[in-house]
Amino acid sequence: MSNVKSLMPAGTFSGKVAIVTGGGTGLGRSMSKYLLELGATVVITSRKIDVLTKTAEELSTETGSRCIPIVCDVRDYDAVEAMLQQAIAQCGKVDMLVNNAAGNFISPTERLSHRAFDSVVDIVLKGTYNCTLACGKYWIENKLPASVLNIVTTYAWTGSGYVVPSACGKAGVLALTRSLAVEWGKYQIRLNAIAPGPFPTEGAWSRLVPPGMEDDFDMAKKNAIGRLGDHQELANLAAYLLSDFAAFMTGEVVVLDGGEWIKGAGEFNMLDKLPQQLWDMMEMMRKKKS
Ligand code: HXC
Ligand code: NAP
């Protein structure tokens, strides 16, 4: 149970329909739940229909809004097109798309087969452009304003060892976000993105923390705020970016990482570790000299 408050006014998404890829688990589930609470109808989609069905039933009951499970492997364009047509048939239209589905694992890159590389890039980048292209064609043909939210990471800019397929895929999604924001602005289609820092989920944590090294990989210690993200904090930002309150914002990527990226980058940030006594001693020595 989160202590973080809901940001958006009740009914923000009344009459609106969203597709959330990877909406059955983790952050996709949390964003879907909040969109439902704000009145949207939400289609959640991924490969596992049992997971989707369970989540859709739970979220519909908890929020009182319609959550619809539709199975779809985002790597397959025909499957994406079929999922979109099913969503339109069941909901009448689609107004918003959240490209949240992803695949990732840690490995020295030279140990990967080309199939392993494909499997992550295909989910992250191909999955995002498949869904964006299918929805974009539909929105432009039907002259519908729309909003897309992509989920990237801070290593989309910096790159990162040991998650190279994911870094390549997310960097592509970043380029897609900014490129299409400009090209499709004239159709009133907005594209923005969030780069989350560490938000605990079973999917990410089980794959990205080496077994037995949980203490060494205390993600909370890596950022300036000193704690992990709360799913409601991400959901608040996601809802704002998707909503008409952000109607003048497009092509933007918002980092929500408790200062993790800049903490890792600042050359002298490790001076955090210096004890107060050492600062006192240095100050005394400086004063003695002057
Ligand atoms: C090396 C691996 C591997 C691993 C699979 N492969 N897992 N190689 N290390 N841990 C190889 C396989 O051997 C195979 O190659 C190829 O990848 C395809 O494997 P499949 O199991 O057939 O793939 P598939 O069923 O398509 O599953 C995709 C997946 C899986 C990415 C491998 O992990 C998955 O379904 N993930 C979805 C959920 C997920 O990853 N969530 C985390 C998102 S977190 P060969 O050569 O043997 O055929 C995230 C956070 C980012 O993105 C930032 C955090 C700060
Ligand atoms: P997650 O629960 O594992 O979510 C990944 C989702 O993607 C799953 O629901 C999975 O469902 C779906 N998926 C995978 N392959 C798919 C495919 N081929 N077609 C359709 N759906 C597919 O992990 P998460 O932590 O919530 O991650 C959500 C997003 O946040 C990802 O984009 C991730 O990169 C990003 N992110 C997370 C963190 C974090 O700290 N958690 C940090 C930075 C970025 P199925 O297995 O049923 O297909």
Side-chain angles (χ1 to χ4, degrees):
M1 188 67 179
S2 168
N3 292 323
V4 176
K5 288 194 180 128
S6 160
L7 172 75
M8 305 293 286
T12 292
F13 295 117
S14 290
K16 300 278 186 188
V17 181
I19 294 174
V20 180
T21 71
T25 65
L27 301 181
R29 187 189 197 282
S30 298
M31 290 187 281
S32 298
K33 183 175 180 208
Y34 193 42
L35 299 181
L36 289 157
E37 283 171 1
L38 296 170
T41 297
V42 178
V43 171
I44 54 172
T45 184
S46 79
R47 297 164 299 178
K48 299 189 190 105
I49 192 61
D50 49 332
V51 174
L52 291 173
T53 306
K54 185 168 179 289
T55 298
E57 281 170 10
E58 289 169 359
L59 294 187
S60 297
T61 307
E62 283 170 35
T63 65
S65 295
R66 258 176 99 205
C67 184
I68 301 165
I70 302 180
V71 77
C72 170
D73 186 328
V74 293
R75 291 173 287 192
D76 175 351
Y77 187 81
D78 292 341
V80 168
E81 188 59 48
M83 178 273 293
L84 175 61
Q85 291 313 320
Q86 253 183 284
I88 296 166
Q90 291 195 44
C91 309
K93 60 168 183 165
V94 170
D95 308 285
M96 300 177 276
L97 167 67
V98 181
N99 285 305
N100 163 79
N104 203 358
F105 44 68
I106 48 169
S107 175
T109 306
E110 68 278 12
R111 287 180 182 239
L112 295 178
S113 69
H114 63 88
R115 286 175 297 275
F117 217 111
D118 284 347
S119 106
V120 171
V121 174
D122 283 356
I123 301 169
V124 174
L125 178 55
K126 191 174 181 186
T128 299
Y129 71 65
N130 278 346
C131 293
T132 308
L133 188 63
C135 287
K137 284 172 186 284
Y138 154 72
W139 289 324
I140 292 166
E141 197 183 321
N142 292 282
K143 297 191 168 47
L144 295 171
S147 182
V148 178
L149 178 67
N150 293 330
I151 306 297
V152 295
T153 64
T154 51
Y155 59 63
W157 287 272
T158 61
S160 174
Y162 305 98
V163 285
V164 171
S166 172
C168 294
K170 295 290 192 184
V173 174
L174 188 61
L176 180 87
T177 307
R178 290 175 170 153
S179 306
L180 280 181
V182 175
E183 195 180 325
W184 287 357
K186 58 182 173 286
Y187 302 119
Q188 303 307 310
I189 299 171
R190 296 186 299 109
L191 294 97
N192 291 294
I194 299 176
F199 285 79
T201 65
E202 171 62 26
W205 259 228
S206 65
R207 287 177 174 87
L208 304 179
V209 178
M213 295 190 71
E214 290 76 8
D215 284 348
D216 298 318
F217 278 73
D218 185 350
M219 306 272 194
K221 288 193 187 133
K222 284 174 60 196
N223 67 45
I225 301 291
R227 65 167 172 86
L228 302 174
D230 182 305
H231 284 212
Q232 184 62 42
E233 292 174 312
L234 184 93
N236 281 343
L237 178 60
Y240 167 72
L241 292 174
L242 285 164
S243 77
D244 289 344
F245 292 102
F248 200 49
M249 189 184 288
T250 195
E252 187 56 67
V253 190
V254 183
V255 175
L256 188 68
D257 72 345
E260 181 186 76
W261 180 3
I262 51 174
K263 181 168 178 172
E267 202 152 5
F268 289 93
N269 286 342
M270 78 291 205
L271 293 182
D272 250 359
K273 294 195 179 108
L274 241 57
Q276 285 307 313
Q277 298 93 304
L278 200 50
W279 286 116
D280 291 344
M281 205 176 82
M282 281 159 51
E283 191 178 342
M284 254 167 47
M285 284 161 62
R286 180 172 56 81
K287 284 180 179 160
K288 257 191 206 160
K289 266 190 208 163
S290 56

